[in-house]
């Protein structure tokens, strides 16, 4: 098993990692593309630490990862997505910016809710990675999920390549690295789209789901 710098705990037990999240910890975990870092989106203290550990500007809202579509039903308007989009591409590496529901604030940390409220949208996806999806389900709520790197640095697909400075910042009593298969695929990060009028999709970032795949599924794109 991967052995990081002293003081950083590693587990291959997804239930163990989920308990750490429930106790307010941060987790580094594999996703379908790269290793991510996140926490329960409802934990204000943990959300603040994700920003600190990544050195990410607080003006940039964190994307959210779910283990199932049902986990997102009380947070965002799933019906705002064009018909068939979520059926075609979820679970998958497609992040969709969807309108927040009024009751969403109760399930999010106040700072995260406030940052998302500025545009009224949350960038969400249902992960196809079995460990990431199970982690969200077992933790009992959606996770913040950003690449496990310092802001502006390259994302990694191997735990051994994680930045030592990021690992050193994982000094909370419940912080953990989840080392569970399969290995992230690498390549490009998730594609990000925002539904527009008349069923159009605004492509905010083309990534792991290519534009041609979206067009082939019958969706009209705007860049």
């Amino acid at each position: 098993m991967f052995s990081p710098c002293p003081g950083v705990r590693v587990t291959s037990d997804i239930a163990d990692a989920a308990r750490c999240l429930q106790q307010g910890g941060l987790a580094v975990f594999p996703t379908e593309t790269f290793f991510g870092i996140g926490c329960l989106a409802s934990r204000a203290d943990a959300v603040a630490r994700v920003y600190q550990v990544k050195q990410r500007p607080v003006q940039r809202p964190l994307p959210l990862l779910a283990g199932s579509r049902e986990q997102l039903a009380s947070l965002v308007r799933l019906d705002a997505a064009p018909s068939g989009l979520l059926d075609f591409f979820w679970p998958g590496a497609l992040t969709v910016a969807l309108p927040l529901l009024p009751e969403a604030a109760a399930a999010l940390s106040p700072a995260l809710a406030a940052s998302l409220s500025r545009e009224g949208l949350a960038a969400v996806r249902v992960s196809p990675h079995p460990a990431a999806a199970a982690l969200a389900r077992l933790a009992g709520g959606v996770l913040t999920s950003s690449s496990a790197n310092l802001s502006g640095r390259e994302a990694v697909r191997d735990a051994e390549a994680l930045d030592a400075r990021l690992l050193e910042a994982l000094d909370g009593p419940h912080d953990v690295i989840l080392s569970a298969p399969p290995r992230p695929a690498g390549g490009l990060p998730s594609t990000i789209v925002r539904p527009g009028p008349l069923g159009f999709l605004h492509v905010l970032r083309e990534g792991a789901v290519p534009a041609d795949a979206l067009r082939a599924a019958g969706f009209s794109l705007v860049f």
Side-chain angles (χ1 to χ4, degrees):
M1 182 181 290
F2 164 61
S3 298
C5 55
V8 182
R9 194 164 74 83
V10 181
T11 183
S12 60
D13 185 336
I14 299 172
D16 178 23
R19 286 190 293 270
C20 292
L21 292 177
Q22 291 169 342
Q23 293 170 315
L26 307 189
V28 171
F29 54 91
T31 75
E32 63 274 19
T33 52
F34 300 102
F35 267 85
I37 183 170
C39 65
L40 273 170
S42 58
R43 295 290 303 237
D45 50 349
V47 169
R49 288 193 58 231
V50 170
Y51 279 104
Q52 293 166 2
V53 167
K54 280 186 57 73
Q55 302 176 17
R56 181 184 176 97
V58 294
Q59 297 82 7
R60 294 179 59 197
L62 291 165
L64 302 178
L65 177 149
S68 66
R69 201 182 304 189
E70 289 71 27
Q71 280 194 313
L72 294 169
S74 62
L75 291 180
V76 293
R77 282 191 51 209
L78 296 172
D79 62 352
S83 177
L85 179 69
L86 306 186
D87 294 327
F88 269 107
F89 294 104
W90 277 5
L94 182 72
T95 297
V96 186
L98 292 172
L100 286 165
L101 290 168
E103 59 268 31
L108 300 172
S109 77
L112 183 57
S115 68
L116 295 173
S117 303
R118 283 195 287 270
E119 292 189 7
L121 299 170
V124 298
R125 80 181 190 279
V126 176
S127 178
H129 193 286
L135 184 63
R137 290 194 299 269
L138 292 173
V142 299
L143 309 180
T144 67
S145 178
S146 183
S147 55
N149 57 297
L150 301 183
S151 188
R153 302 284 183 171
E154 287 188 9
V156 302
R157 61 186 298 227
D158 293 298
E160 291 80 1
L162 290 165
D163 194 304
R165 291 167 295 175
L166 182 139
L167 294 176
E168 288 168 2
L170 291 176
D171 56 4
H174 304 296
D175 294 346
V176 68
I177 296 174
L178 175 62
S179 180
R183 182 188 187 207
L188 296 173
S190 69
T191 295
I192 304 176
V193 298
R194 184 185 71 232
L198 303 176
F200 280 83
L201 287 177
H202 293 266
V203 179
L204 306 181
R205 180 180 76 191
E206 186 174 3
V209 177
D212 285 348
L214 292 165
R215 291 192 187 96
F219 299 101
S220 299
L221 309 182
V222 177
F223 289 86

